[in-house]
Amino acid sequence: MTRIARRFSELRANGEGALIPFIVAGDPDTERSLRVTAALARAGADVIELGVPFSDPLADGPVNQAAYDRALRAGASVDGVLELVKRFRDGSETPVVLMTYANPIAQYGWERFASAAAAAGVDGVLLTDLPPEEAETWLPHARAAGLDTIFLLAPTSPDSRIASVAEMATGYVYCVSRLGVTGARDRLPPDARVLVTRVRGVGLRALPVVVGFGLSQPEQVREVCEFSDGAVVGSALVSLIAKHAADTDLERAVEGFLGTLKQATRR
């Protein structure tokens, strides 16, 4: 059983939803990013999604785009992110998923990246702009390395796309709560519940289904965990990191915010 599968099994046994924070690796710099990642684990993160800095993150809103820019200006690279994971893995068993785009991985080399990511302690990879119809370039290498392959589904995804993702995905399926780029919102759109119901209706695989994009408050996390297996919180956390980037209490601020969100996952 993989680290991700084991964690979701434990959550189901405990009657909890998963809390999955997203941050950009290397933001504001590598050393502080490593300490923030450790703070997320201490605060109860069930899976940690690390964004791999990329110059053209089309699926991300302005908050995450600014974080990618900060990380790149601080010298972040694919190798640097893998080294960060390796160092984090020395002290934690919290599952780590890399969230990135196809271009930097293609440039790195599909097989080389899969092997290096697995060796560093990465558990899964989500390539946001790689549709299942084009995933055969990546899937054999990911499977050979033992990496989970996570895909996005949107409210506009047809049933045929949902069926394809259910066949190819491992670890969990990531449902986008609404159309558009990442970014915190005040209200959870009704499309999210409808999408999760449709995904579960496919019934091909018993994978966990989580919801992200737009979540920033404990009330939203609690609501999402009522009809899905977990909630992803990104931009609100990235904003907090940006706000406290120059402060000595950055890790404490992150740990406090995430601890409040984690409490909302307990049903």
Side-chain angles (χ1 to χ4, degrees):
M1 182 179 286
T2 67
R3 265 191 288 259
I4 292 176
R6 184 163 58 247
R7 188 60 192 137
F8 274 99
S9 177
E10 293 168 352
L11 289 166
R12 284 173 171 166
N14 294 334
E16 294 180 31
L19 178 62
I20 306 177
F22 165 90
I23 62 171
V24 173
D27 174 38
D29 57 58
T30 298
E31 292 304 316
R32 302 205 75 184
S33 187
L34 176 61
R35 294 202 294 272
V36 167
T37 306
L40 296 176
R42 288 196 303 272
D46 295 299
V47 178
I48 297 174
E49 289 186 351
L50 294 178
V52 179
F54 178 46
S55 60
D56 196 19
L58 295 177
D60 287 275
V63 170
N64 288 354
Q65 288 181 13
Y68 285 123
D69 185 58
R70 285 193 297 273
L72 289 170
R73 283 190 282 108
S77 65
V78 174
D79 281 328
V81 172
L82 296 179
E83 180 62 23
L84 186 155
V85 175
K86 185 177 180 181
R87 293 172 65 191
F88 170 73
R89 186 58 72 217
D90 285 342
S92 178
E93 282 298 302
T94 301
V96 172
V97 169
L98 298 186
M99 190 169 180
T100 184
Y101 295 81
N103 186 277
I105 306 310
Q107 293 295 318
Y108 194 92
W110 298 102
E111 183 176 7
R112 178 184 170 219
F113 174 76
S115 177
V122 172
D123 298 287
V125 177
L126 196 171
L127 300 175
T128 56
D129 57 349
L130 187 70
E133 294 83 358
E134 300 175 17
E136 287 304 322
T137 303
W138 162 241
L139 288 181
H141 304 301
R143 287 168 177 159
L147 296 171
D148 278 324
T149 51
I150 298 150
F151 287 87
L152 292 174
L153 287 171
T156 53
S157 296
D159 289 346
S160 58
R161 169 65 63 85
I162 294 175
S164 295
V165 166
E167 283 291 314
M168 295 180 178
T170 60
Y172 55 90
V173 174
Y174 188 135
C175 288
V176 175
S177 68
R178 54 173 174 72
L179 299 179
V181 297
T182 61
R185 299 289 190 276
D186 292 332
R187 299 180 62 184
L188 184 69
D191 289 349
R193 186 186 294 267
V194 174
L195 177 58
V196 170
T197 301
R198 289 178 60 213
V199 172
R200 285 182 166 156
V202 171
L204 295 178
R205 302 278 295 275
L207 281 179
V209 180
V210 307
V211 174
F213 277 42
L215 309 185
S216 62
Q217 304 162 16
E219 294 77 13
Q220 294 170 327
V221 170
R222 184 176 295 107
E223 182 180 350
V224 162
C225 289
E226 288 175 356
F227 61 85
S228 76
D229 295 292
V232 184
V233 176
S235 295
L237 185 55
V238 174
S239 292
L240 188 69
I241 292 170
K243 179 180 178 181
H244 291 275
D247 300 342
T248 56
D249 65 345
L250 170 60
E251 295 95 290
R252 185 166 56 184
V254 166
E255 197 168 343
F257 177 61
L258 205 77
T260 301
L261 296 179
K262 180 55 193 171
Q263 290 179 11
T265 68
R266 299 187 174 104
R267 302 175 177 118

